[in-house]
């Protein structure tokens, strides 16, 4: 598969603060690429740079093989986006909003075509209602219709599940799967909802304080063959010091208080416990941590 | 063209846009009612301070649609900028405040083009507002008061124009007013680009107009040469120049304008200010990080 987004050494600084620090990643065609990070990690800044809302301080962005700084129009003609909450013109109706953004995307659609697009997101019956009468979920669906109005090849979704009820979240999840699996679109999605991300994303990028801390295929990262084990001990520093003198040392991923996260093969777990016992290290608990949330927290240290 | 239509559509879909039209209609109609029922008294007061020779002129001859329009413009043209700022100050900052600016700026339309159509839409609104003033102040006044010669009071003299020598002066005066109001729109628009909330640019524009107008009207010799020539509000009064005529031994020279070069200079300065305001707006917006 060819690359749709190629980001190289991307950096954005606001005065003294570096919001995005030397970020490099690649998004392949037709994949759902999850973008994870805590609040303030630099996700929205990165997405804004992908959409030319913010100028990078340094680095290079290529989308569809074209340099974003010189081919902005061609790239954005093939890109649809929701940036945080879908703010639209509250004093206009849904069909007026959709028509307006279709024109902004270079399209002139008649009422039937617009109605067809609104019906696809379940808003056909409320097409002539003003947005100020819409619920958050309806606004989100209209935001998606706006993002997809020009049938883009790349869809960038920044926290698309924010503020939605469980049914709304499920609808978005199904839509993302439909866009990717049935229509062959490339989806770049950031979200706080780790369990949802785990269900939709093919690949994953995790950033922390503006820096990339993990990237890869979701199944590889969360592979049962490569279990993450959280070990609670009375002295993490002693644990790390002693293990670093053995070949178990490189398997330590992170240390958080008295808890140590290690990445091991399933069969290595009893061997490690036996070794710790020989080294007279007190162990209070051992947990297998294999969800995306566990993985994310092990990396960010929270 | 379709982008411009969108911007105009958005402006005229907002209820607040019609506040300005309603306020102008209300003020003009109130002035017309007052002059309809107490106009002769008003004209008497106006003439009383101008010497004996004017007291012989019948008030009903002076009080006609042309004079009523002049009185209205004299009162209104300094306040209309505030109404212009309501829309021009909201043009970009209002989008930022609503959160729609990031959506607009992520569409395949260049920022320069986006700003051009936004300013053109603000200018269009300003012109429609001015046409509304013209319809109510000139044509409704003519319908209510009829036409006759126009006497424009000027310190201790009257500039008198025959009735067939007036309409073209109003046409040019409205064109001049359009230049002045578009200059104000450009100021509010520039401030709007810097702001994330439309209240700020509207309030700052109104404050600038109030302060500059006070300075313009101050009769202090020190300011006459140091500050006043550089204030755009001073030059916005240039429309009156079309009603200042040349005369020989008290007889008005028909079709004359006393100081055309001064009017052209004022128009040029206003256009210059507009270009500077827009230049700053474009320079900044092209580089702006759109965060909200």
């Amino acid at each position: 598969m060819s690359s749709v987004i190629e980001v190289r050494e991307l950096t954005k600084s606001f005065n003294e603060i570096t919001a995005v620090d030397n970020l490099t990643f690649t998004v392949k065609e037709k994949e759902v690429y999850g973008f994870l990070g805590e609040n303030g990690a630099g996700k929205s800044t990165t997405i804004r740079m992908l959409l030319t809302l913010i100028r990078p301080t340094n680095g290079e962005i290529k989308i569809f093989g074209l340099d974003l700084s010189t081919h902005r129009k061609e790239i954005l003609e093939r890109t649809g986006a929701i940036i945080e909450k879908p703010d639209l013109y509250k004093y206009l109706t849904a069909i007026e909003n959709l028509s307006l953004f279709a024109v902004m995307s270079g399209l002139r659609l008649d009422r039937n075509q617009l109605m067809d697009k609104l019906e696809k997101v379940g808003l056909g019956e409320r097409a002539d209602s003003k947005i100020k009468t819409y619920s958050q979920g309806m606004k989100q669906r209209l935001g998606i219709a706006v993002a997809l109005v020009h049938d883009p090849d790349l869809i960038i979704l920044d926290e698309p599940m924010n503020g939605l009820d469980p049914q709304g979240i499920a609808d978005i999840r199904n839509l993302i799967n439909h866009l990717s699996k049935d229509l062959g679109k490339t989806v770049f999605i950031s979200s706080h909802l780790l369990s949802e991300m785990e269900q939709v994303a093919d690949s994953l990028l995790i950033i922390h304080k503006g820096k990339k801390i993990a990237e890869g295929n979701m199944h590889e990262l969360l592979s049962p063959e490569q279990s993450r084990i959280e070990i609670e001990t009375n002295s993490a520093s002693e644990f790390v010091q002693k293990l670093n003198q053995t070949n178990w040392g490189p398997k330590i991923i992170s240390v958080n208080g008295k808890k140590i996260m290690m990445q091991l093969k399933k069969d290595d777990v009893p061997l490690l416990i036996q070794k710790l016992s020989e080294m007279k290290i007190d162990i209070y608990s051992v947990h297998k941590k294999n969800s995306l949330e566990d993985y994310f927290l092990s990396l960010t240290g929270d | 063209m379709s982008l411009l239509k969108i911007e105009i559509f958005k402006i005229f879909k907002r209820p607040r846009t019609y506040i300005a039209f309603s306020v102008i209609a209300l003020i003009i109609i109130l002035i017309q009612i007052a002059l309809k029922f107490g106009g002769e008294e008003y004209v008497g007061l106006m003439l009383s301070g101008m010497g004996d020779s004017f007291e012989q002129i019948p008030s009903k001859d002076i009080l006609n649609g042309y004079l009523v329009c002049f009185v209205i413009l004299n009162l209104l043209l300094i306040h209309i900028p505030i109404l212009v700022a309501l829309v021009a100050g909201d043009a970009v900052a209002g989008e930022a405040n609503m959160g729609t600016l990031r959506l607009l700026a992520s569409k395949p339309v260049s920022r320069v083009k986006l700003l051009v159509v936004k300013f053109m839409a603000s200018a269009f609104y300003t012109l429609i507002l001015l046409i509304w003033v013209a319809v109510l102040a000139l044509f409704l006044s003519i319908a209510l008061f009829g036409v006759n010669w126009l006497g424009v009071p000027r310190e201790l003299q009257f500039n008198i124009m025959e009735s067939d020598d007036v309409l073209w002066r109003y046409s040019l005066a409205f064109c001049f007013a359009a230049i002045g109001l578009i200059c104000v729109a450009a100021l509010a628009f520039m401030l709007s680009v810097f702001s994330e909330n439309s209240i700020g640019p509207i309030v700052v524009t109104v404050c600038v107009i109030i302060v500059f107008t006070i300075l313009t009207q101050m009769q202090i010799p020190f300011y006459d040469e140091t500050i006043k020539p550089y204030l755009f509000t001073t030059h916005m009064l240039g429309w009156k120049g079309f009603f200042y005529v040349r005369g020989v031994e008290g007889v008005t020279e028909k079709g004359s304008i006393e100081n055309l070069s001064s009017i052209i200079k004022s128009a040029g300065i206003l256009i210059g200010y507009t270009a500077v305001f827009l230049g700053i707006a474009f320079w900044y917006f092209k580089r702006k990080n759109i965060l909200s």
Side-chain angles (χ1 to χ4, degrees), chain B residues 48-92:
Chain B
S48 63
M50 308 196 71
D52 297 341
S53 55
F54 292 106
E55 287 177 4
Q56 309 302 320
I57 304 169
S59 298
K60 60 179 172 43
D61 285 354
I62 297 180
L63 187 65
N64 60 66
Y66 288 147
L67 180 72
V68 172
C69 181
F70 191 86
V71 170
I72 290 169
L73 293 189
N74 214 14
L75 288 170
L76 265 189
L77 278 184
I78 211 71
H79 302 295
I80 292 175
I82 295 167
L83 302 174
V84 168
L86 276 180
V87 166
D90 186 62
V92 179

Coordinates of all heavy atoms in Angstrom, one line a residue, chain B residues 48-92:
Chain B
S48 N -32.1 82.6 12.3 CA -32.0 83.7 13.2 C -30.5 84.1 13.5 O -30.2 85.3 13.7 CB -32.7 83.4 14.5 OG -32.0 82.3 15.1
G49 N -29.6 83.2 13.4 CA -28.2 83.5 13.7 C -27.5 83.9 12.5 O -26.2 84.1 12.6
M50 N -28.1 84.2 11.4 CA -27.4 84.4 10.1 C -27.6 85.8 9.5 O -27.3 86.0 8.4 CB -27.7 83.3 9.1 CG -27.6 81.9 9.7 SD -27.6 80.7 8.5 CE -26.0 80.9 7.8
G51 N -28.1 86.7 10.3 CA -28.2 88.1 9.8 C -29.6 88.4 9.3 O -30.4 87.5 9.0
D52 N -29.8 89.7 9.1 CA -31.1 90.2 8.8 C -31.6 89.7 7.4 O -32.8 89.5 7.2 CB -31.2 91.7 8.8 CG -30.9 92.2 10.2 OD1 -31.1 91.3 11.2 OD2 -30.5 93.3 10.4
S53 N -30.7 89.7 6.4 CA -31.1 89.5 5.0 C -31.7 88.1 4.9 O -32.6 87.9 4.0 CB -29.8 89.5 4.1 OG -28.9 88.6 4.6
F54 N -31.4 87.1 5.7 CA -32.0 85.8 5.6 C -33.4 85.7 6.2 O -34.2 84.8 5.9 CB -31.1 84.7 6.2 CG -29.8 84.6 5.4 CD1 -28.6 85.1 5.9 CD2 -29.8 84.0 4.2 CE1 -27.4 85.0 5.2 CE2 -28.6 83.8 3.5 CZ -27.4 84.4 4.0
E55 N -33.7 86.6 7.1 CA -35.0 86.5 7.8 C -36.2 86.8 6.9 O -37.3 86.5 7.3 CB -35.0 87.5 9.0 CG -34.1 86.9 10.1 CD -34.0 87.9 11.3 OE1 -34.7 88.9 11.3 OE2 -33.2 87.6 12.2
Q56 N -35.9 87.4 5.7 CA -37.0 87.7 4.8 C -37.4 86.4 4.0 O -38.5 86.4 3.4 CB -36.5 88.7 3.7 CG -35.9 90.0 4.3 CD -36.8 90.7 5.3 OE1 -38.0 90.8 5.0 NE2 -36.3 91.1 6.4
I57 N -36.6 85.4 4.0 CA -36.9 84.2 3.2 C -37.9 83.4 3.9 O -37.8 83.1 5.1 CB -35.6 83.3 3.0 CG1 -34.5 84.1 2.4 CG2 -35.9 82.1 2.2 CD1 -33.1 83.5 2.4
P58 N -39.0 83.0 3.2 CA -40.0 82.2 3.8 C -39.5 80.8 4.2 O -38.8 80.2 3.4 CB -41.1 82.1 2.7 CG -40.7 83.0 1.7 CD -39.3 83.3 1.8
S59 N -39.8 80.4 5.4 CA -39.3 79.1 5.9 C -39.7 77.9 5.0 O -39.0 77.0 4.8 CB -39.8 78.8 7.3 OG -39.3 79.8 8.2
K60 N -40.9 78.0 4.5 CA -41.5 76.9 3.7 C -40.7 76.7 2.4 O -40.6 75.6 1.8 CB -42.9 77.0 3.4 CG -43.4 78.3 2.6 CD -44.9 78.2 2.4 CE -45.5 79.4 1.8 NZ -44.8 80.1 0.7
D61 N -40.0 77.8 1.9 CA -39.2 77.7 0.7 C -37.9 76.9 1.0 O -37.4 76.1 0.2 CB -38.8 79.0 0.1 CG -40.0 79.7 -0.6 OD1 -41.0 79.0 -0.7 OD2 -39.9 80.9 -1.0
I62 N -37.4 77.2 2.2 CA -36.1 76.5 2.6 C -36.3 75.1 3.0 O -35.6 74.2 2.6 CB -35.5 77.3 3.7 CG1 -35.1 78.7 3.3 CG2 -34.2 76.6 4.2 CD1 -34.5 79.6 4.4
L63 N -37.4 74.9 3.7 CA -37.7 73.5 4.2 C -38.3 72.6 3.1 O -39.5 72.7 2.8 CB -38.7 73.6 5.4 CG -38.9 72.2 6.1 CD1 -37.7 71.8 6.8 CD2 -40.1 72.4 7.1
N64 N -37.4 71.9 2.4 CA -37.9 71.0 1.4 C -37.0 69.7 1.5 O -36.1 69.6 2.3 CB -37.7 71.6 0.0 CG -36.3 72.0 -0.3 OD1 -35.4 71.1 -0.4 ND2 -36.0 73.3 -0.4
G65 N -37.3 68.7 0.6 CA -36.7 67.4 0.7 C -35.2 67.5 0.7 O -34.5 66.7 1.4
Y66 N -34.6 68.4 -0.1 CA -33.2 68.5 -0.2 C -32.6 68.9 1.1 O -31.5 68.4 1.5 CB -32.8 69.4 -1.3 CG -33.1 68.9 -2.7 CD1 -33.4 69.8 -3.8 CD2 -32.9 67.6 -3.0 CE1 -33.6 69.3 -5.0 CE2 -33.2 67.1 -4.3 CZ -33.5 67.9 -5.3 OH -33.7 67.5 -6.6
L67 N -33.2 69.9 1.7 CA -32.6 70.4 3.0 C -32.8 69.3 4.1 O -31.8 69.1 4.9 CB -33.3 71.7 3.5 CG -32.7 72.2 4.8 CD1 -31.3 72.8 4.6 CD2 -33.6 73.2 5.4
V68 N -33.9 68.7 4.1 CA -34.1 67.6 5.1 C -33.1 66.5 5.0 O -32.5 66.0 5.9 CB -35.6 67.0 5.0 CG1 -35.7 65.8 5.9 CG2 -36.6 68.1 5.3
C69 N -32.8 66.2 3.7 CA -31.8 65.1 3.5 C -30.4 65.6 4.0 O -29.7 64.8 4.6 CB -31.7 64.8 2.0 SG -30.5 63.6 1.6
F70 N -30.1 66.9 3.7 CA -28.8 67.4 4.2 C -28.7 67.4 5.7 O -27.7 67.0 6.3 CB -28.6 68.9 3.7 CG -27.2 69.4 3.9 CD1 -26.2 69.1 3.0 CD2 -26.9 70.1 5.1 CE1 -24.9 69.6 3.2 CE2 -25.6 70.5 5.3 CZ -24.6 70.3 4.3
V71 N -29.8 67.8 6.4 CA -29.8 67.7 7.9 C -29.6 66.3 8.4 O -28.9 66.1 9.3 CB -31.2 68.3 8.4 CG1 -31.4 68.1 9.9 CG2 -31.3 69.8 8.0
I72 N -30.3 65.4 7.7 CA -30.2 64.0 8.1 C -28.8 63.4 7.9 O -28.2 62.8 8.9 CB -31.2 63.1 7.3 CG1 -32.7 63.4 7.8 CG2 -30.9 61.6 7.6 CD1 -33.7 62.8 6.9
L73 N -28.2 63.7 6.8 CA -26.8 63.2 6.5 C -25.9 63.9 7.5 O -24.9 63.2 8.0 CB -26.4 63.5 5.1 CG -27.2 62.8 4.0 CD1 -26.5 63.0 2.7 CD2 -27.2 61.3 4.3
N74 N -26.1 65.2 7.8 CA -25.2 65.8 8.8 C -25.2 65.2 10.1 O -24.2 65.1 10.8 CB -25.7 67.3 8.9 CG -24.5 68.2 9.1 OD1 -23.3 67.8 8.9 ND2 -24.8 69.4 9.5
L75 N -26.4 64.7 10.5 CA -26.5 64.0 11.8 C -26.1 62.6 11.7 O -25.5 62.1 12.7 CB -28.0 64.1 12.2 CG -28.6 65.4 12.7 CD1 -30.1 65.3 12.8 CD2 -28.0 65.8 14.0
L76 N -26.3 61.9 10.6 CA -26.2 60.5 10.6 C -24.8 60.0 10.1 O -24.3 59.0 10.6 CB -27.2 59.9 9.6 CG -28.5 59.3 10.3 CD1 -29.3 58.5 9.2 CD2 -28.2 58.4 11.4
L77 N -24.2 60.7 9.2 CA -23.0 60.1 8.5 C -21.8 59.9 9.5 O -20.9 59.1 9.2 CB -22.6 60.9 7.3 CG -23.3 60.6 6.1 CD1 -22.8 61.4 4.9 CD2 -23.4 59.1 5.7
I78 N -21.9 60.5 10.7 CA -20.8 60.3 11.6 C -21.1 59.1 12.5 O -20.3 58.6 13.2 CB -20.6 61.6 12.4 CG1 -19.2 61.7 12.9 CG2 -21.5 61.7 13.6 CD1 -18.2 62.0 11.7
H79 N -22.4 58.7 12.5 CA -22.8 57.6 13.4 C -23.0 56.2 12.6 O -22.9 55.2 13.2 CB -24.1 57.9 14.1 CG -24.0 59.1 14.9 ND1 -23.2 59.2 16.0 CD2 -24.6 60.4 14.8 CE1 -23.3 60.5 16.5 NE2 -24.2 61.2 15.8
I80 N -23.2 56.3 11.3 CA -23.3 55.1 10.5 C -22.1 54.2 10.7 O -22.2 53.0 10.7 CB -23.7 55.4 9.1 CG1 -25.1 56.0 9.0 CG2 -23.6 54.2 8.2 CD1 -25.4 56.5 7.6
P81 N -20.9 54.8 10.8 CA -19.7 53.9 10.9 C -19.8 52.9 12.1 O -19.3 51.8 12.0 CB -18.6 54.9 11.2 CG -19.0 56.1 10.5 CD -20.5 56.2 10.6
I82 N -20.6 53.3 13.1 CA -20.7 52.4 14.2 C -21.5 51.1 13.8 O -21.2 50.0 14.1 CB -21.5 53.1 15.4 CG1 -20.6 54.2 15.9 CG2 -21.9 52.1 16.5 CD1 -21.2 55.2 16.8
L83 N -22.5 51.4 12.9 CA -23.3 50.2 12.4 C -22.5 49.4 11.4 O -22.7 48.2 11.3 CB -24.6 50.8 11.7 CG -25.5 51.6 12.7 CD1 -26.7 52.2 11.9 CD2 -26.0 50.8 13.8
V84 N -21.6 50.1 10.7 CA -20.8 49.3 9.7 C -19.8 48.4 10.5 O -19.6 47.2 10.1 CB -20.0 50.3 8.9 CG1 -18.8 49.6 8.1 CG2 -20.9 51.0 7.9
A85 N -19.3 48.9 11.7 CA -18.4 48.1 12.5 C -19.1 46.9 13.0 O -18.4 45.8 13.2 CB -17.9 49.0 13.6
L86 N -20.4 46.9 13.2 CA -21.1 45.7 13.7 C -20.9 44.5 12.8 O -20.8 43.4 13.3 CB -22.6 46.0 13.8 CG -23.2 46.7 15.0 CD1 -24.7 46.9 14.9 CD2 -22.8 45.9 16.3
V87 N -20.9 44.7 11.5 CA -20.7 43.6 10.6 C -19.3 43.4 10.2 O -18.8 42.2 10.3 CB -21.6 43.8 9.3 CG1 -21.2 42.9 8.2 CG2 -23.1 43.7 9.7
A88 N -18.5 44.4 9.9 CA -17.1 44.3 9.5 C -16.3 43.7 10.6 O -15.4 42.9 10.4 CB -16.6 45.6 8.9
G89 N -16.6 44.2 11.8 CA -15.8 43.7 13.0 C -16.1 42.3 13.3 O -15.3 41.6 14.0
D90 N -17.2 41.8 12.8 CA -17.6 40.4 13.1 C -17.1 39.4 12.0 O -17.1 38.2 12.2 CB -19.1 40.3 13.2 CG -19.7 39.0 13.6 OD1 -19.3 38.5 14.7 OD2 -20.4 38.4 12.8
A91 N -16.6 40.0 10.9 CA -16.4 39.2 9.7 C -15.5 38.0 9.9 O -15.8 36.9 9.5 CB -15.8 40.1 8.6
V92 N -14.3 38.2 10.6 CA -13.4 37.1 10.8 C -13.5 36.7 12.3 O -13.5 35.5 12.6 CB -11.9 37.6 10.4 CG1 -11.0 36.4 10.7 CG2 -11.9 38.0 9.0

